[in-house]
Amino acid sequence: MRILITGNMGYVGPVLTRFLRENLTDSELIGFDAGFFGHSLTGAGLLPEALLDRQVFGDIRELPEELLDGVDAVVHLSAVSNDPMGNKFEAVTGEINQDASVRIARLAAERGVKNFVFASSCSMYGYAEGRARKESDATNPLTAYARSKIGSEKAFAELDLGGMNVTSLRFATACGMSDRLRLDLVLNDFVACAVASGEITVLSDGTPWRPLIDVEDMARAISWAIVRKRDDGGKFLAVNAGRDESNYQVRDLAEAVARQVPGTTVSINKNAPPDKRSYKVDFALFRSLAPDHLPQVSLDQSIARLREGLVGMGFADKDFRNSPYMRLKTLERHMAAGRLGRDLRWLPHSRA
């Protein structure tokens, strides 16, 4: 099986590459990435891309059509990947996250790809009081990032997919250790606070709800979607990916981290304005369709792996929220150095 992974040099890609190499041993793995974060390794003993059969560099908006020849499955991770980046580069977020995604899905269908796996997000539920949200419930996107995921799903549902299946995995909030760690994710942020300073600062009042999924479990879900049959969910399937037990309030996440990092105190800004990004998610559909690929990594295991990884790196940066571990900061550094334009394209002759 030949698998093309777009955006493979980000946070999820290294973990996914290793998971597929270990579990789909006969597969040919090809990566396609712009390389914005390729240098942002965090404690890796091996370049993650060494596990690929081929690495291709390029702009996702211009992915060569011929790269899809002979491909059985596309895993489309490439995206402007969080709310701060989406807010700063709103128009570009639409180009990359939606327009390019729809183009690649259309080309993949035309080239005979069997399965297209789209990394979507539960953030599309936005502000959702009360019961956990199912796939059939109305969405309430609050950010450019969330809107781009909804727009992509709507377009996929209208495409002539031919014999190709599209699986849109609406992932819970990612967490866990990676060879290219992000600290702009809630649990990862809290563990970094605990390790670096012994104090977790919760910027909200701690009441918002968030579902979580470890990055390893994201890879587990993707491995199911890569081989999903059409009679197991239909030609286009949008499904919440996670588990019901992993819906947490933000304050509970902070306390869970403090329990695992002795001496850590938790500071909650009880006077903070309400964080409207609050939602619980129902994962019953995923549980019924993919019983052998459900999340296995517990909250405590995610925290322990993060702590071990950060300690192993000698991590001690109390000001990490202004560091390259935040994806937006890395892009801003590229721009300040004259390497990257505001359209998120590499500038000519500037990649020194």
Side-chain angles (χ1 to χ4, degrees):
M1 176 185 292
R2 181 178 292 174
I3 302 170
L4 173 65
I5 308 169
T6 71
N8 66 288
M9 298 178 73
Y11 172 58
V12 178
V15 180
L16 174 63
T17 298
R18 185 178 301 109
F19 189 91
L20 295 180
R21 182 55 73 210
E22 292 174 354
N23 291 276
L24 296 176
T25 55
D26 295 332
S27 293
E28 179 184 351
L29 304 179
I30 304 168
F32 184 86
D33 198 283
F36 296 154
F37 311 109
H39 63 297
S40 303
L41 293 170
T42 45
L46 174 74
L47 186 69
E49 290 69 52
L51 298 177
L52 296 171
D53 295 283
R54 184 183 175 196
Q55 176 68 53
V56 181
F57 292 96
D59 190 312
I60 196 63
R61 289 164 285 191
E62 298 162 1
L63 183 138
E65 295 183 28
E66 58 271 18
L67 195 59
L68 294 163
D69 288 341
V71 168
D72 298 291
V74 173
V75 179
H76 188 46
L77 303 177
S78 184
V80 177
S81 60
N82 64 17
D83 293 341
M85 287 195 289
N87 293 338
K88 184 162 185 174
F89 307 107
E90 186 166 352
V92 180
T93 294
E95 292 175 10
I96 292 175
N97 291 15
Q98 182 172 334
D99 298 346
S101 299
V102 175
R103 171 183 177 265
I104 294 169
R106 176 178 55 79
L107 291 174
E110 293 173 356
R111 298 265 169 160
V113 172
K114 298 180 180 66
N115 277 284
F116 184 90
V117 184
F118 180 63
S120 191
S121 172
C122 287
S123 67
M124 64 176 60
Y125 298 115
Y127 179 61
E129 290 185 298
R131 61 177 175 78
R133 290 316 194 252
K134 298 181 179 181
E135 294 83 355
S136 56
D137 287 325
T139 55
N140 184 23
L142 302 177
T143 64
Y145 173 77
R147 289 191 292 273
S148 73
K149 297 300 183 180
I150 294 173
S152 296
E153 287 192 1
K154 288 181 178 178
F156 296 152
E158 296 171 358
L159 281 178
D160 179 4
L161 300 176
M164 186 176 78
N165 301 321
V166 172
T167 308
S168 184
L169 294 170
R170 295 180 179 177
F171 283 118
T173 301
C175 65
M177 193 61 197
S178 166
D179 289 338
R180 288 193 179 91
L181 182 62
R182 284 175 56 187
L183 296 182
D184 50 11
L185 296 161
V186 61
L187 186 71
N188 298 5
D189 175 287
F190 289 168
V191 178
C193 285
V195 170
S197 67
E199 180 178 0
I200 297 173
T201 303
V202 181
L203 301 180
S204 72
D205 65 1
T207 61
W209 285 91
R210 298 286 166 77
L212 289 190
I213 185 169
D214 192 274
V215 65
E216 179 186 303
D217 287 326
M218 295 175 72
R220 187 169 283 110
I222 289 168
S223 71
W224 164 75
I226 283 172
V227 296
R228 184 179 70 85
K229 303 297 183 184
R230 178 159 293 192
D231 57 2
D232 190 16
K235 67 177 181 179
F236 171 71
L237 171 68
V239 58
N240 298 331
R243 61 182 172 192
D244 295 333
E245 301 86 349
S246 293
N247 283 295
Y248 300 99
Q249 285 185 287
V250 170
R251 64 190 176 201
D252 295 330
L253 296 176
E255 294 293 347
V257 173
R259 287 194 296 271
Q260 286 210 46
V261 185
T264 299
T265 61
V266 177
S267 172
I268 296 177
N269 185 1
K270 295 181 179 180
N271 296 319
D275 184 347
K276 292 186 177 181
R277 295 171 301 164
S278 179
Y279 48 91
K280 289 186 285 186
V281 177
D282 185 309
F283 298 101
L285 178 60
F286 183 64
R287 188 168 62 249
S288 68
L289 292 173
D292 296 329
H293 294 78
L294 300 179
Q296 297 180 13
V297 183
S298 69
L299 175 61
D300 283 346
Q301 287 173 322
S302 293
I303 295 170
R305 292 176 184 181
L306 282 163
R307 181 190 180 194
E308 180 182 358
L310 288 168
V311 170
M313 291 162 49
F315 180 81
D317 184 1
K318 295 180 181 180
D319 191 36
F320 69 85
R321 287 173 178 155
N322 289 308
S323 78
Y325 298 115
M326 314 295 283
R327 289 299 191 249
L328 177 57
K329 297 299 180 181
T330 297
L331 295 182
E332 290 175 342
R333 282 170 171 79
H334 283 317
M335 291 178 184
R339 293 188 291 264
L340 190 67
R342 288 194 58 82
D343 58 357
L344 298 188
R345 295 181 188 273
W346 289 117
L347 296 175
H349 314 299
S350 62
R351 302 188 204 183

